């Protein structure tokens, strides 16, 4: 499933607590950077639409995504219209400070209340997610922001409350852009799976309808749709997308073919399918990348453990700042510390910390995959920091399998001159 409401790892326990109790659900894996949730479940007990509805009831914006596909989410350089509108209202409300000038009309002071529009537009989504988190006993950033806004409103400091709402929604939008760019780098892997194939009669068929034993033809320049074996014909096949080998591999009768590779030669190949589309090499590679993105490195686990302890401590500290001063000091000082407690709730948000780690790993793994290197998870990527020696397979990794003469020196005992030897080599 594609879950648009995932902004950072704080949503992971919410999703798991919502889905794991459902009948037939065995495993729930969440890819934060890709905003994907993979669920292994018994469809007879819990249909996929039930999973989607459960997440949507918690305002997480889930939708079913077919395996091997990528949800298309438009990237915009402009924030969503509610965020843009609330930003405009907040900007205009700041003009109320001009009322301090004697030359400015008195009605300008009333512009301060436009900040209430910012709160009304941006707060409902935050509040709904906070309530959804509270129902499953999870303390997340939405709860922290909601408490900060309610506190600022209680102090009649409408502009500060509006600033919290606006900045939080802007940060959510920026996080979505970063996550979307990281996720779209995986589209290279998804693009390896062909959508169609060609029968020997020349008819186009969907790759998903191909059965084991079907006879197909692969014309020059065409992509191989499913794994198979060559029945007749021969040609060169570019397997660099799967193996990283730059030099095309010659394929003839009885040679194996892998889906996602390309017939880059001049010959036409007739092949017999040995796997269906969902069991072919390109789909397996895409599945490996999804599993790698869902796996968690030791660094990610450490950051999440820290955030689980850190967030309640910050909330408790804010509550103590809000309550104890009223018992031990004067009212003016108590209000000052109440304001500091609200500031603490805002700056204590751990989102930037917990989202930075998975995005970094996914970007690195996606970039490596685009270059032909498959990293099986964040743990393995993190191990490179402690690597001292690396052994490479030379051809296709360190070299391009394109040979050229860089130097020529005849032996002193040679009976022919340098020019004569060069003419023979040419």
């Amino acid at each position: 499933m594609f879950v648009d409401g995932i902004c950072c790892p704080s949503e992971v326990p919410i999703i798991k607590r919502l889905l794991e109790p459902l009948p037939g659900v065995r495993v729930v894996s969440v890819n934060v950077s890709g905003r994907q949730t993979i669920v292994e479940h018994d469809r007879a007990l819990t249909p996929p639409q039930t999973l989607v509805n459960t997440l949507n009831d918690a305002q997480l914006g889930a939708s079913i995504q077919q395996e091997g596909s990528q949800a298309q989410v438009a990237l915009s350089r402009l924030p969503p219209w509610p965020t843009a509108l609330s930003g405009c209202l907040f900007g205009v409300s700041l003009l109320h400070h001009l009322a301090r000038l004697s030359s400015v009309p008195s009605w300008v002071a009333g512009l301060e209340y436009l900040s209430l529009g910012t709160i009304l537009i941006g707060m409902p989504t935050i509040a709904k997610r906070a309530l959804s988190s509270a129902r499953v006993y999870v303390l997340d950033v939405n709860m922290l922001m909601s408490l900060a806004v309610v506190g600022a409103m209680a102090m009649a400091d409408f502009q500060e409350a509006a600033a919290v709402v606006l900045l939080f929604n802007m940060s959510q939008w920026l996080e979505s852009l970063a996550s979307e760019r990281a996720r779209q780098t995986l589209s290279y892997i998804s693009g390896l799976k062909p959508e169609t194939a060609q029968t020997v009669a020349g008819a186009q068929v969907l790759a998903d309808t191909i059965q084991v034993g079907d006879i197909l033809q692969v014309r020059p320049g065409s992509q191989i749709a499913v794994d198979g074996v060559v029945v007749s014909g021969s040609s060169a096949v570019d397997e660099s997308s799967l193996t990283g080998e730059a030099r095309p591999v010659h394929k003839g009768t009885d040679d194996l073919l892998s889906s996602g590779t390309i017939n880059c030669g001049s010959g036409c190949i007739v092949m017999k399918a040995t796997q269906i589309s969902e069991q072919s090499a390109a789909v397996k590679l895409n599945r490996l990348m999804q599993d790698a993105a869902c796996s968690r490195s030791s660094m990610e686990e450490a950051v999440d453990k820290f955030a689980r302890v850190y967030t309640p401590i910050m909330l408790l500290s804010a509550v103590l700042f809000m309550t104890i001063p009223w018992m031990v000091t004067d009212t003016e000082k108590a209000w000052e510390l109440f304001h500091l407690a609200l500031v603490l709730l805002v700056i204590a948000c751990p989102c930037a910390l917990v989202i930075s780690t998975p995005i970094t790993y996914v970007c690195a793994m996606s970039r490596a995959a685009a270059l032909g290197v498959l990293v099986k998870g964040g743990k393995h990527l993190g191990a490179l920091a402690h690597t001292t020696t690396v052994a490479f397979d030379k051809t296709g990794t360190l070299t391009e399998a394109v040979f050229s003469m860089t130097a020529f020196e005849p032996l002193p005992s040679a009976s022919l001159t340098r020019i004569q030897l060069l003419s023979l080599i040419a």
Side-chain angles (χ1 to χ4, degrees):
M1 291 180 291
F2 178 74
V3 186
D4 190 51
I6 297 177
C7 72
C8 67
S10 64
E11 276 84 18
V12 175
I14 299 174
I15 293 173
K16 289 190 174 183
R17 290 188 186 185
L18 288 171
L19 298 183
E20 287 177 346
L22 296 178
V25 174
R26 294 185 289 271
V27 180
V28 178
S29 302
V30 182
N31 174 5
V32 175
S33 300
R35 291 190 281 174
Q36 293 175 325
T37 299
I38 302 172
V39 183
E40 295 181 18
H41 65 106
D42 187 340
R43 289 172 174 261
L45 296 176
T46 302
Q49 192 58 45
T50 301
L51 302 174
V52 171
N53 294 339
T54 301
L55 295 182
N56 287 338
D57 289 341
Q59 307 298 316
L60 288 171
S63 59
I64 296 174
Q65 180 179 340
Q66 296 297 324
E67 183 177 17
S69 67
Q70 291 287 331
Q72 297 298 318
V73 179
L75 281 176
S76 173
R77 298 192 179 190
L78 298 176
W81 73 263
T83 304
L85 179 58
S86 60
C88 292
L89 291 173
F90 180 72
V92 175
S93 72
L94 292 177
L95 296 177
H96 87 278
H97 293 291
L98 296 176
R100 299 173 185 174
L101 302 176
S102 58
S103 59
V104 176
S106 59
W107 62 265
V108 174
L111 293 177
E112 177 185 8
Y113 295 102
L114 286 177
S115 57
L116 292 173
T118 299
I119 299 171
L120 291 174
I121 293 172
M123 191 60 197
T125 302
I126 301 174
K128 288 178 181 178
R129 290 185 179 177
L131 290 174
S132 299
S133 302
R135 290 193 188 103
V136 292
Y137 308 105
V138 173
L139 180 64
D140 68 349
V141 64
N142 295 288
M143 181 63 72
L144 294 180
M145 295 299 104
S146 298
L147 291 174
V149 171
V150 170
M153 293 284 287
M155 296 176 63
D157 199 340
F158 304 128
Q159 283 209 312
E160 287 213 16
V164 170
V165 172
L166 176 61
L167 293 177
F168 181 70
N169 285 330
M170 287 293 293
S171 69
Q172 295 281 71
W173 169 62
L174 292 174
E175 281 181 6
S176 297
L177 288 182
S179 298
E180 185 63 23
R181 289 192 176 97
R183 190 179 62 84
Q184 285 191 352
T185 57
L186 291 174
S187 61
Y188 166 79
I189 302 299
S190 300
L192 294 179
K193 178 189 174 183
E195 298 296 330
T196 62
Q198 192 175 57
T199 65
V200 289
Q204 293 286 337
V205 295
L206 294 175
D208 291 337
T209 63
I210 298 173
Q211 301 297 317
V212 175
D214 287 354
I215 305 299
L216 309 169
Q217 67 173 344
V218 185
R219 295 180 178 275
S222 298
Q223 201 172 23
I224 296 171
V226 295
D227 294 354
V229 62
V230 178
V231 175
S232 64
S234 63
S235 188
V237 175
D238 180 4
E239 297 182 335
S240 60
S241 57
L242 296 181
T243 66
E245 177 63 62
R247 188 174 186 179
V249 180
H250 182 269
K251 298 289 184 178
T253 304
D254 295 331
D255 286 338
L256 299 178
L257 299 171
S258 298
S259 65
T261 58
I262 299 174
N263 180 3
C264 62
S266 57
C268 181
I269 299 174
V270 177
M271 61 171 285
K272 180 173 71 174
T274 58
Q275 296 283 357
I276 62 174
S277 177
E278 293 303 313
Q279 298 297 326
S280 294
V283 175
K284 289 179 180 178
L285 179 59
N286 183 71
R287 194 176 295 125
L288 280 174
M289 284 303 301
Q290 288 184 346
D291 292 342
C294 290
S295 67
R296 305 179 66 75
S297 68
S298 56
M299 179 65 72
E300 290 177 277
E301 291 172 354
V303 168
D304 285 350
K305 287 179 181 178
F306 170 76
R308 283 197 295 268
V309 176
Y310 166 84
T311 304
I313 289 177
M314 290 298 102
L315 179 59
L316 178 61
S317 300
V319 170
L320 293 177
F321 268 101
M322 289 178 178
T323 56
I324 292 180
W326 296 95
M327 307 174 191
V328 298
T329 187
D330 58 86
T331 302
E332 184 179 352
K333 189 66 175 179
W335 277 116
E336 181 182 345
L337 291 174
F338 189 91
H339 182 268
L340 288 177
L342 298 179
V343 174
L344 178 62
L345 285 175
V346 175
I347 65 175
C349 172
C351 260
L353 174 66
V354 295
I355 192 63
S356 60
T357 310
I359 280 189
T360 301
Y361 279 112
V362 168
C363 285
M365 290 188 293
S366 302
R367 178 60 179 163
L371 296 175
V373 179
L374 179 61
V375 182
K376 296 181 69 176
K379 292 182 179 179
H380 305 286
L381 191 64
L384 292 177
H386 309 287
T387 301
T388 57
T389 305
V390 180
F392 288 101
D393 171 40
K394 181 178 69 66
T395 306
T397 306
L398 301 179
T399 66
E400 297 180 352
V402 178
F403 304 101
S404 62
M405 185 174 67
T406 58
F408 175 75
E409 294 292 337
L411 295 173
S413 59
S415 59
L416 299 176
T417 65
R418 180 184 178 87
I419 295 177
Q420 289 174 324
L421 289 172
L422 286 172
S423 63
L424 291 175
I425 294 173

